[in-house]
Amino acid sequence: MNQEIIRDVVQEMMPFLDNAQAEKLQKILTKVLAHYESGIINEEIDKTDYVDLFLAAKRIEGCSEKSLKYYEKTICAMLDTLGKNAKHVVTDDIRTYLTEYKDKRNSSKVTIDNIRRILSSFFTWLEDEDYILKSPVRRIHKVKTTSNVKETYSDEELELMRDSCDEIRDLAMIDLLASTGMRIGEMVLLNRSDINFRERECIVFGKGSKERVVYFDARTKVHLQNYLDSRKDDNPALFVSLREPNERLQIGGVEIRLREFGRKLGMRKVHPHKFRRTLATMAIDKGMPIEQLQQLLGHKKIDTTLQYAMVKQTNVKMSHRKYIG
């Protein structure tokens, strides 16, 4: 009986659908009618199906596993809280969820907007794939956040860190982060063979497994060469642990090492990403075109680059006097 109904519906819709759409309609009707025939509409399975399909699409686009896990956790938390299938979620549900999430956890506007952005990506994908008619997040606008000037390392702080290095590996690591502006995740994936000392450059794999070239200065070249010359192990990794069996250094290991420097020197907030922000600010401060900085940092959107680059107020004052005053 169900097959006859499906055939009749698809036949009636043929003038309005192409072959691919007709095939998709047939599959959906088969699935829905099978659920009704069994007397059970399993919302949990449908919910998981939608999330899994979305994550599969994002994986193909090149999203990292870390991002995919964050997407899954955020989306499933929303669906579990609402107790609804994704296709039944409406705008008021999302608004209520975000409001209650903020109140219960005392979350910042940045956190709430990150959740909104992920949910928007999920429901927009469902809309694009014709699983739903319209994204319920479409009418929920970006959360306005205050723009805080984030800290960067001063020249003195960078020199203090270099001077405090007891290990040549740490000196090479600090110089590489400071001169290239690469992400910490990109640095720990580097191998010795990735370094082109002649051109003072290397290829890193950024977010979404995208390749880009980064460049380092002469001081970094010397310290890197000294470090590699001192190595006794045969591990292909560029940076390895100090103790045997000299395994590839992980992100956590670098973060711990930098925090140790911070405590030793009495410096606040010593972490890998601060090197990246420092390089961006310095580049803008010295007149590097924002488009070139965007490429150097591997940003998809120029707005992201502008958030990293905090122009020094003293230079704004000098430019005002030069061009206006």
Side-chain angles (χ1 to χ4, degrees), residues 277-290:
R277 193 183 305 124
T278 300
L279 178 130
T281 303
M282 181 180 67
I284 288 291
D285 192 43
K286 292 186 176 181
M288 186 177 192
I290 191 68

Side-chain angles (χ1 to χ4, degrees), residues 51-105:
V51 177
D52 287 345
L53 288 169
F54 170 72
L55 295 176
K58 286 295 178 183
R59 185 174 283 108
I60 292 172
E61 291 175 12
C63 281
S64 67
E65 289 302 316
K66 183 179 178 181
S67 295
L68 291 173
K69 287 179 181 178
Y70 183 48
Y71 291 161
E72 182 178 21
K73 181 181 177 182
T74 302
I75 297 166
C76 287
M78 178 271 300
L79 294 173
D80 290 340
T81 300
L82 296 179
K84 286 188 173 184
N85 183 288
K87 63 184 178 183
H88 298 149
V89 174
V90 297
T91 301
D92 284 343
D93 291 330
I94 302 295
R95 286 200 180 106
T96 301
Y97 175 74
L98 292 176
T99 301
E100 291 180 351
Y101 189 101
K102 183 178 186 301
D103 292 341
K104 288 179 180 178
R105 295 170 173 79

Side-chain angles (χ1 to χ4, degrees), residues 287-303:
M288 186 177 192
I290 191 68
E291 295 84 2
Q292 293 181 16
L293 179 59
Q294 177 189 5
Q295 184 174 346
L296 184 66
L297 296 177
H299 289 153
K300 185 177 180 181
K301 296 180 180 179
I302 202 165
D303 289 348

Side-chain angles (χ1 to χ4, degrees), residues 29-136:
L29 286 172
T30 301
K31 182 178 180 180
V32 172
L33 289 175
H35 284 162
Y36 275 100
E37 192 174 50
S38 65
I40 301 173
I41 304 299
N42 195 328
E43 295 287 342
E44 191 66 27
I45 291 177
D46 282 347
K47 177 192 76 174
T48 306
D49 284 348
Y50 286 134
V51 177
D52 287 345
L53 288 169
F54 170 72
L55 295 176
K58 286 295 178 183
R59 185 174 283 108
I60 292 172
E61 291 175 12
C63 281
S64 67
E65 289 302 316
K66 183 179 178 181
S67 295
L68 291 173
K69 287 179 181 178
Y70 183 48
Y71 291 161
E72 182 178 21
K73 181 181 177 182
T74 302
I75 297 166
C76 287
M78 178 271 300
L79 294 173
D80 290 340
T81 300
L82 296 179
K84 286 188 173 184
N85 183 288
K87 63 184 178 183
H88 298 149
V89 174
V90 297
T91 301
D92 284 343
D93 291 330
I94 302 295
R95 286 200 180 106
T96 301
Y97 175 74
L98 292 176
T99 301
E100 291 180 351
Y101 189 101
K102 183 178 186 301
D103 292 341
K104 288 179 180 178
R105 295 170 173 79
N106 195 27
S107 302
S108 67
K109 290 182 178 180
V110 173
T111 299
I112 298 303
D113 194 59
N114 282 338
I115 296 173
R116 180 205 63 82
R117 178 173 50 81
I118 291 170
L119 297 181
S120 177
S121 178
F122 172 59
F123 284 107
T124 299
W125 181 85
L126 290 178
E127 179 183 335
D128 291 342
E129 294 294 317
D130 297 325
Y131 290 116
I132 60 175
L133 292 175
K134 182 180 178 182
S135 167

Side-chain angles (χ1 to χ4, degrees), residues 183 185-186 189 194 203-207 209-212:
R183 300 178 179 93
E186 296 167 345
L189 291 176
D194 294 326
I203 296 176
V204 297
F205 289 89
K207 289 185 177 180
S209 298
K210 295 178 181 176
E211 290 185 6
R212 78 176 189 284

